[in-house]
Amino acid sequence: MLLIEIKPNTCDFCGCCVGVCPEDAIELQEAQISIIEERCTNCAKCVWVCPFEVLLFNKPQKTKAEA
Amino acid sequence: MKQEYDVIVVGAGPAGSTCARYAAAQGASVVVLEKDRDVGMPVRCGEAVSNRSLEKIVDIDPRWIAATIRRFRLVSPSGQIVEPDLGGHGFVLERRLFDYDLARLAVEAGAEVHTKSYVDGLLPSENGWQGVALQWKGERREIRGRIIVGADGVESRVGKWAGVDTTTHMRDMETCAQMTLSNVDLEDDACEFYFGNDTAPMGYLWVFPKGNGMANVGVGISGMASKQRAAIRYLKDFIARRFPGAGVLTTVAGGVPCAVTVDTLVKDNIVLVGDAAHQVNPMSGGGITSGMFGGKMAGEAIARALAREDLTLLQEYPRQWEKDIGAKHRTYHRMKSAVYKFPDETLDDIARKVLALSPEKRTIWGVFRTALRHQPALVWEMVKVFGLGR
Ligand SMILES: Cc1cc2nc3c(=O)[nH]c(=O)nc-3n(C[C@H](O)[C@H](O)[C@H](O)COP(=O)(O)OP(=O)(O)OC[C@H]3O[C@@H](n4cnc5c(N)ncnc54)[C@H](O)[C@@H]3O)c2cc1C
């Protein structure tokens, strides 16, 4: 499940996240960014390096059975 | 756009354009593919270069120069100011014009440049790669090339697609926020660098004059520090303190791979240059001229390999890089790794000690020697690699 989220309309498309992504899981065009869900391992490196705090890591919600 | 070229260059930054220029100079057909709609924009850069490096790699056009720098001012966390002797001068460039002209030089040498061309894959062949897949003005295309150059910057993927590990470690990724300010009162010949945990943890903050009351102000912090607090917050704090009345003309994000150069610069018919190959000086974060040197070396090796129909000649490029720059950058990386985590007290102590040096010893190297005085092996390596100290 993809836990990384990109806040809409805030990305500056600088490529910092792509540079640290070990899985080549980010697609970055001139003014378009998306995460390739099948490759992303939710390692969150992209979240940590983002200069503008555009990427968010959503902690997985525990289901009732797990809690 | 044709369907086939001798050389496909991905990315029209300084490294890609310079590579294309030298590859095309001997008659090879060269295309540069740039994803953005324009070359040289947006500017994600401090735009500072040393005159000595720049004049070695290109004939300088005065239109590129926003300011000529004769002084460096290093500011410690407690506000002590060290002004080391530069032994030369530097420039703050206007990269909008600079990058554009480098692309023009490539075109004048015979290359084609296409913007709005987003490369999103390599086309495999039996012994390497036979071209690239791209979205060109929204349309899907495939073009063939005998040699493919990854000049696609910090966000490089060409190397990864070819199986070269170009991922930058979090610690080595300097994550940056930068603004162009107007209405600021600055001396037009001094670059300022601010250090300290509250200002720029594991990095530095720069204030570079651009003339006419303008300044390029930015901060770069290690990815490790960015985990706690993002670069943009440090920059906003500093500007509110230091330039409360300034107008903000641009605000951009950026990343600088301050790592050791990737060890595979050429794999089969794939060649990596510039930020894509981590050719940035890892100590300063400056990658404009070093990327251009990489581009030139690669372009010349490509031209020779094509002229003699022998792709093994591409290996001359990594050999030359290692000889001219590679070893120096490894030492810079060791120096950076030693100093970038210094706590504020150590930084202030270094400033005090440098201020106590006699003026002729107060050089950039004097600063490093003082900073690294507890690591004599590294100082010795610096002396050896950079030919200093005699
Ligand atoms: C905030 C900041 C400040 C800096 N300050 C300085 C400084 O003061 N002095 C200095 O010397 N250096 C500085 N640098 C570093 C310098 O900007 C880079 O090292 C330099 O731009 C590298 O050149 P390049 O040609 O390798 O890559 P870039 O200039 O990044 O060019 C790469 C190009 O490839 C394109 N591209 C990427 N992917 C694709 C794709 N899939 N398809 C098509 N095109 C693609 C990009 O759009 C881009 O135009 C700074 C960097 C940052 C981020």
Side-chain angles (χ1 to χ4, degrees), chain B residues 230-262:
Chain B
I232 187 69
R233 294 184 185 259
Y234 290 96
L235 185 61
K236 282 186 176 162
D237 280 2
F238 178 85
I239 287 176
R241 267 198 326 267
R242 170 75 204 273
F243 300 114
V248 179
L249 298 180
T250 66
T251 305
V252 295
V256 192
C258 291
V260 172
T261 304
V262 299

Side-chain angles (χ1 to χ4, degrees), chain B residues 3 33 43 58 84 86 110 112 123 178 204 212 264 274 300 302 320 339 349 353 363 377:
Chain B
Q3 300 204 319
L33 303 173
V43 177
V58 66
L86 286 187
E112 285 175 30
L123 309 174
Q178 181 234 311
Y204 62 80
N212 301 317
T264 311
E300 287 174 341
I302 288 168
Q320 198 190 342
V339 303
D349 185 51
K353 290 204 161 65
T363 59

